[in-house]
Amino acid sequence: MKPIAHIRTDLPQKFGIPRNSFLAPHLQGRIVFEPEFALNSAVAGLDGFSHAWLLWEFENGTPGGTAQDIAADAATDDKSGTNTKWSPTVRPPRLGGSERMGVFATRSPFRPNPIGLTCVKIDHVELTDDGPIIHVLGADLRDGTPIFDIKPYIPFADCHPDATGGFIDDVPWHELDVDFPETLQAHIENDKLEGLVEVLRQDPRRAGSKHDPSRVYHLAFAAYDVAFTVDGDALHVVGVASA
């Protein structure tokens, strides 16, 4: 297979990417097609659908949430990261990173084949002289992720109101309270702020690790380096700088 497109998002590093789509519903993304597939006719009718499925390739890259991690990840052309390693069991973040489940009972990015599946909301389809650009919301993909296919979400076939969520149903997702001083918010573009807060609320840190409340983490988001600390259930943004 070869990519038909790549997605542009505000998250250039794995650190901070929501663990599922729509956990940060205001995250913006743009799907830009490769020249061979950049045909406006190929998306005719897609703007009539509210949502779409994306099939894509995991690119885990360099882990971590320090300024050095961000720099190392940006300087590395090979973004496969630890995709070459997989285990039959993994520690889902939903279980605090302390219990193991079978890899095929999870959405872990560390799989035998690094294929991702995501449902996104179609904001609008832009037709240009260079081909279509699909503007989406709620994607859990890092910037530059290769897209293998795009399929419309069909409610009568894809929506299952009686579905059960296995161990997910037993452990409701926990969000952090975000303390983001207005003086620091002023550095963020208005149309990026809501998505950034949603990402921070999901707790970008690795589940199950020991965390020092004085440790400063760095999140690469859009054109910014957002520094924060976490103490209990409270995340405090302590700095915003140009990335």
Side-chain angles (χ1 to χ4, degrees):
M1 293 189 296
K2 57 183 177 181
I4 63 167
H6 289 77
I7 191 169
R8 312 305 307 188
T9 71
D10 289 323
L11 289 162
Q13 191 195 19
K14 180 177 180 290
F15 183 80
I17 293 177
R19 294 180 173 96
N20 280 295
S21 61
F22 293 109
L23 291 179
H26 292 89
L27 273 184
Q28 302 169 353
R30 294 180 295 113
I31 299 172
V32 181
F33 286 85
E34 291 296 292
E36 180 181 354
F37 307 101
L39 306 169
N40 289 335
S41 58
V43 299
L46 184 62
D47 56 357
F49 294 88
S50 64
H51 295 74
W53 293 106
L54 307 180
L55 287 137
W56 47 278
E57 181 179 4
F58 278 108
E59 291 193 328
N60 292 316
T62 304
T66 68
Q68 291 80 5
D69 294 327
I70 293 172
D73 191 74
T76 303
D77 292 331
D78 181 6
K79 302 298 185 185
S80 60
T82 51
N83 276 342
T84 55
K85 302 176 183 178
W86 74 281
S87 169
T89 62
V90 296
R91 296 186 176 94
R94 192 64 165 258
L95 299 178
S98 59
E99 298 182 47
R100 285 192 172 272
M101 290 288 172
V103 65
F104 300 123
T106 76
R107 296 189 177 185
S108 167
F110 308 109
R111 319 182 71 81
N113 293 305
I115 299 172
L117 173 68
T118 288
C119 183
V120 295
K121 182 176 181 179
I122 299 173
D123 186 59
H124 66 281
V125 179
E126 178 184 3
L127 303 181
T128 77
D129 293 338
D130 297 320
I133 300 173
I134 305 173
H135 296 258
V136 299
L137 296 171
D140 54 344
L141 285 72
R142 70 176 286 166
D143 184 52
T145 293
I147 306 294
F148 289 131
D149 203 2
I150 301 167
K151 302 178 187 292
Y153 176 94
I154 302 174
F156 85 88
D158 295 342
C159 180
H160 303 280
D162 57 344
T164 59
F167 65 88
I168 302 294
D169 290 342
D170 299 327
V171 188
W173 185 247
H174 179 70
E175 296 185 343
L176 299 177
D177 295 320
V178 176
D179 170 33
F180 200 155
E182 291 185 3
T183 53
L184 295 177
Q185 290 186 29
H187 295 286
I188 307 294
E189 298 173 67
N190 286 338
D191 65 334
K192 304 290 186 183
L193 182 59
E194 195 165 8
L196 171 58
V197 172
E198 290 170 345
V199 168
L200 294 172
R201 196 177 290 141
Q202 303 308 315
D203 194 349
R205 302 170 304 163
R206 181 179 178 182
S209 298
K210 293 182 179 179
H211 300 295
D212 180 354
S214 65
R215 177 178 175 180
V216 178
Y217 296 87
H218 290 259
L219 171 69
F221 185 88
Y224 311 103
D225 179 350
V226 181
F228 66 91
T229 62
V230 181
D231 188 358
D233 290 335
L235 182 149
H236 305 279
V237 178
V238 297
V240 174
S242 298

